[in-house]
Amino acid sequence: MKSSQVTIKDLAKALGVSPSTVSRALNDHPDISPETKKEVNDLAKQLNYEPNVVAQNLRSQKTNTIGVIIPEIVHFFFSTVISGIEEVAYKAGYTVMFCQTSESYEREVKDTKALLNQRIDGLIVSFSKETQHFEHFQEVAKKIPVVLFDRETDELNVSKIVVDDYDGAAMATQHLINQKSERIAHLAGPDNLTIGAERKKGYQDTLKKNNMKVDPNYILPCFRGTLDEGFHAMQRLLDLPKPPDAVFCTNDTAAYGAMKAIKEAGLEIPKDIAIVGFSNWQFSSLIEPQLTTVSQPGVDMGRAAAKRLIAELQDQELREQPIRQVLKTDLIIRKSSKRP
């Protein structure tokens, strides 16, 4: 008999007892004598018996599986969040199933249905940049706990784990002001995402706080946050009659594209134009000059999202009391913005 084929019925037949007796012995039921428990467990060990987890889950209506929907797996920030989610989930006995939307709303809807069909116990989500309707998540939240991270919406009454994008942007902008910058531009993320809107607001409010004009000509969209977008947006800024002497970018990839455009124009960083990014991607400390950036606690965000979801899985009342947890950011000052 192959070990993978050993069942409770096989153990029962070999010992001359009922399958229910074997089952209760394996689960340390108090009605079963210590002698019988020992016989059953010894034989199970000898035959390498493994319980049928699928059958157990069907009986308990649980799969011990958490679904996670993210925009991009290769994105450095999201990869750190994944690490935090997995760390907490696996310690708590949960497996994790990931889906990547590639910033597509249509794909996000399909992924949500696919995860539900896999009978996940709960869902952790960072929705796509295209998402403006949330009915698919509203339906999920009626059945299982849902936790949002990084990107949030008032359309969903669920727990949310976010970073203080406003404060991070304010720190970045104030740093550029402290470096004697007078014309600070912003490559802005999408306004339909809280992270984009809050970063732009932090930039604008900090200028006003320092009695500096908010010039709409210095705010250019960089909605996808790609290197090419950053490059072309920076080129447009350089074509202005009075180009900026500093730029705060919605993310590090856009900042890298802006740096490329500045260098190709024959200008020096930070002497002519200082640059600050957002996210602290790995490459930000490897390029020349090293990029000043706002660091997001990705691993901590993943841990917090997983802890909250598991807490709601274990306590129904917590689902009815959703939280909004805000994690702090840090400004990492490097050569791209630090003037002599």
Side-chain angles (χ1 to χ4, degrees):
M1 180 185 298
K2 294 181 181 179
S3 61
S4 61
Q5 296 177 323
V6 175
T7 66
I8 284 179
K9 289 183 179 180
D10 295 325
L11 298 176
K13 184 177 180 180
L15 293 169
V17 297
S18 68
S20 63
T21 297
V22 172
S23 177
R24 284 182 290 173
L26 290 170
N27 287 286
D28 198 25
H29 196 283
D31 289 349
I32 305 301
S33 68
E35 294 79 12
T36 301
K37 288 179 184 177
K38 185 177 186 307
E39 287 182 5
V40 170
N41 282 283
D42 285 348
L43 182 60
K45 185 176 181 181
Q46 177 186 335
L47 297 179
N48 294 318
Y49 165 76
E50 294 289 343
N52 188 330
V53 177
V54 174
Q56 289 179 345
N57 288 337
L58 285 172
R59 286 193 294 271
S60 67
Q61 298 298 304
K62 288 185 63 179
T63 61
N64 278 18
T65 302
I66 291 171
V68 179
I69 294 178
I70 55 175
E72 294 180 83
I73 289 177
V74 297
H75 193 294
F76 176 70
F77 169 69
F78 289 119
S79 69
T80 61
V81 175
I82 288 172
S83 296
I85 291 172
E86 287 189 323
E87 176 189 317
V88 170
Y90 289 144
K91 282 183 181 177
Y94 289 86
T95 56
V96 185
M97 190 176 295
F98 295 98
C99 287
Q100 173 181 261
T101 65
S102 298
E103 300 287 10
S104 163
Y105 168 74
E106 182 180 353
R107 186 164 169 177
E108 179 179 277
V109 173
K110 290 180 179 178
D111 287 344
T112 303
K113 291 178 180 178
L115 288 172
L116 271 182
N117 287 338
Q118 294 298 316
R119 302 181 66 253
I120 56 172
D121 295 333
L123 182 63
I124 298 173
V125 177
S126 183
F127 53 83
S128 80
K129 289 179 179 177
E130 290 185 357
T131 303
Q132 297 187 38
H133 303 286
F134 297 90
E135 292 87 352
H136 52 306
F137 292 134
Q138 289 167 347
E139 288 302 312
V140 174
K142 293 176 183 177
K143 302 172 184 176
I144 58 175
V146 175
V147 173
L148 297 181
F149 75 91
D150 188 47
R151 302 173 181 180
E152 60 179 325
T153 174
D154 293 335
E155 300 273 336
L156 292 170
N157 186 32
V158 299
S159 291
K160 297 152 189 174
I161 314 296
V162 296
V163 298
D164 196 335
D165 290 288
Y166 179 92
D167 188 59
M171 283 193 296
T173 308
Q174 187 62 54
H175 166 68
L176 290 171
I177 293 170
N178 294 345
Q179 296 301 304
K180 310 302 181 185
S181 304
E182 297 178 350
R183 300 180 305 281
I184 303 173
H186 178 44
L187 301 189
D191 284 332
N192 69 303
L193 292 183
T194 306
I195 56 173
E198 287 294 296
R199 290 174 194 179
K200 183 164 74 172
K201 190 171 187 298
Y203 154 80
Q204 292 173 322
D205 286 355
T206 305
L207 291 182
K208 294 174 185 175
K209 180 181 174 183
N210 287 270
N211 298 313
M212 297 174 69
K213 179 184 177 184
V214 177
D215 188 340
N217 292 316
Y218 286 161
I219 303 175
L220 292 184
C222 204
F223 292 168
R224 296 192 309 277
T226 63
L227 188 150
D228 283 345
E229 263 192 325
F231 179 82
H232 293 301
M234 191 69 234
Q235 283 186 322
R236 293 200 298 276
L237 288 171
L238 292 174
D239 286 338
L240 292 173
K242 284 188 177 181
D245 58 5
V247 184
F248 165 52
C249 302
T250 189
N251 66 20
D252 290 347
T253 312
Y256 186 34
M259 292 172 72
K260 187 169 179 284
I262 292 167
K263 290 178 181 179
E264 288 192 8
L267 299 172
E268 293 184 37
I269 304 169
K271 180 183 175 182
D272 298 312
I273 303 179
I275 298 283
V276 176
F278 205 112
S279 287
N280 194 29
W281 279 48
Q282 268 183 326
F283 71 78
S284 62
S285 63
L286 303 176
I287 57 179
E288 181 58 38
Q290 293 181 330
L291 178 64
T292 294
T293 185
V294 179
S295 176
Q296 300 180 90
V299 174
D300 288 343
M301 178 175 280
R303 288 173 181 151
K307 285 179 181 177
R308 181 63 192 185
L309 186 74
I310 291 168
E312 292 187 12
L313 285 169
Q314 295 172 345
D315 187 342
Q316 175 70 26
E317 289 186 5
L318 290 179
R319 288 183 61 184
E320 299 167 7
Q321 304 168 22
I323 64 167
R324 183 178 186 269
Q325 183 176 348
V326 181
L327 307 180
K328 299 300 291 182
T329 56
D330 290 312
L331 180 66
I332 300 177
I333 300 173
R334 300 190 179 110
K335 293 180 181 178
S336 72
S337 66
K338 196 171 183 181
R339 294 187 171 118

